[in-house]
Amino acid sequence: MYQVQRPARTESIRIRTLNYHVRLWGEARPDAAPLVLLHGWMDVGASYQFVVDAFGAAFAQGRQIIAPDWRGFGLSLPPSPCDSYHFADYLADLDQLLDHYAAGRSVDLVGHSMGGNVAMMYAGARPARIRRLVNLEGFGLPATRPAQAPGRYAQWMDQIRQWERGEMELTHYDSADGVALRLMKTNPRLAGDKATWLARHWAREGRDGRWHILGEAAHKVASAQLYRVDEALALYAAITAPVLSVEASDDSLSRWWKGVYTLAEYRERLAHVRDARTAVVQDAGHMLHHDQPQAVAALIEDFLSE
């Protein structure tokens, strides 16, 4: 199994209606902005362990590093099942997380995938709270049209009923090793030792003896709201922090959307950020912080140290 170099401590804090599970490295320092790491969809805060281990000693020890489990993921699970999740809630959760750990201070923000999208939106809504931002493969979504609204609302209502009937239940596994194998199947670049370690944070054993993913099935219910590009661009334009957008060499956007939404379109959107630059991590897919943690750590460290 992967040997952790910088063990985290964990704590639970009250954010809105939930007990949020948070991983922490280092101690708060008045002379250094805290570094907040936001994970992606169906992931957990522990996913950043490999990157934290790859940071240089002076960088890692010189600031507090904070990695929460988003609501409905990891150990930030609601006391009773929730039938759908709304994206704006992540922004409100992050706002109060920063109140707790960095009241009156700006932070450095890193987000992967869904977490990158949250980070970009939040930085536009609360620009003064962000010193620098690193967006790892948080590309947003394809543009929608108002005419799609009736179908989207109908889809949302239909999928809630599917969730109620148990038709969206996540796959269970017979062992932690089974979870690790699934992680490696999804991402062939993920080394076995890392998969074995991640599996025990990504899932846990239930009373039935099977290993259950630490994510609410309701996250599979489509959003009732359309993705409005004009709103996203307004948020991008409101960002005052320098932004580093990091892409994987595999071009995961093309793999997902098959031409419906392209990397070129994303870069056009990114041009609305007043201070944005890009970087590419070679030999990496969407989970680039697992595939090349040293390269990702170096990009983050160099950008935040400017």
Side-chain angles (χ1 to χ4, degrees), residues 33-47:
L35 172 57
V36 181
L37 307 174
L38 307 177
H39 70 77
W41 189 80
M42 284 297 166
D43 203 356
V44 292
S47 191

Side-chain angles (χ1 to χ4, degrees), residues 13-209:
I13 64 170
R14 190 69 174 177
I15 293 181
R16 300 172 67 204
T17 62
L18 294 175
N19 292 322
Y20 248 71
H21 181 255
V22 183
R23 302 177 73 83
L24 300 161
W25 296 266
E27 302 295 336
R29 292 183 51 164
D31 59 339
L35 172 57
V36 181
L37 307 174
L38 307 177
H39 70 77
W41 189 80
M42 284 297 166
D43 203 356
V44 292
S47 191
Y48 281 105
Q49 181 67 56
F50 313 134
V51 169
V52 172
D53 284 345
F55 284 142
F59 180 84
Q61 295 167 9
R63 65 179 65 217
Q64 186 173 55
I65 302 174
I66 304 159
D69 290 343
W70 285 124
R71 62 170 53 223
F73 294 113
L75 298 179
S76 296
L77 299 176
S80 58
C82 176
D83 64 8
S84 62
Y85 285 83
H86 303 282
F87 203 86
D89 280 321
Y90 301 124
L91 275 72
D93 292 350
L94 177 58
D95 203 44
Q96 295 197 15
L97 181 92
L98 299 189
D99 285 347
H100 181 86
Y101 288 109
R105 305 181 62 195
S106 61
V107 304
D108 290 329
L109 199 57
V110 174
H112 172 249
S113 193
M114 183 192 84
N117 293 331
V118 175
M120 295 290 282
M121 293 175 67
Y122 184 82
R126 298 281 203 212
R129 302 201 77 168
I130 309 304
R131 192 187 76 93
R132 284 181 173 257
L133 190 160
V134 180
N135 180 2
L136 306 173
E137 295 251 311
F139 299 123
L141 295 171
T144 57
R145 305 179 310 280
Q148 294 173 256
R152 176 61 67 84
Y153 280 114
Q155 179 188 21
W156 178 68
M157 291 185 286
D158 289 343
Q159 289 188 346
I160 287 177
R161 293 187 182 278
Q162 289 178 296
W163 176 85
E164 289 174 336
R165 294 193 296 265
E167 296 172 6
M168 290 188 166
E169 186 175 357
L170 302 177
T171 302
H172 304 164
Y173 299 87
D174 58 2
S175 66
D177 289 341
V179 178
L181 289 172
R182 182 65 181 85
L183 289 169
M184 288 189 289
K185 182 179 180 180
T186 301
N187 179 12
R189 285 190 177 91
L190 183 62
D193 63 333
K194 290 186 173 70
T196 300
W197 186 87
L198 275 174
R200 288 159 173 79
H201 297 275
W202 205 61
R204 66 180 170 187
E205 189 174 12
R207 293 179 179 178
D208 58 1

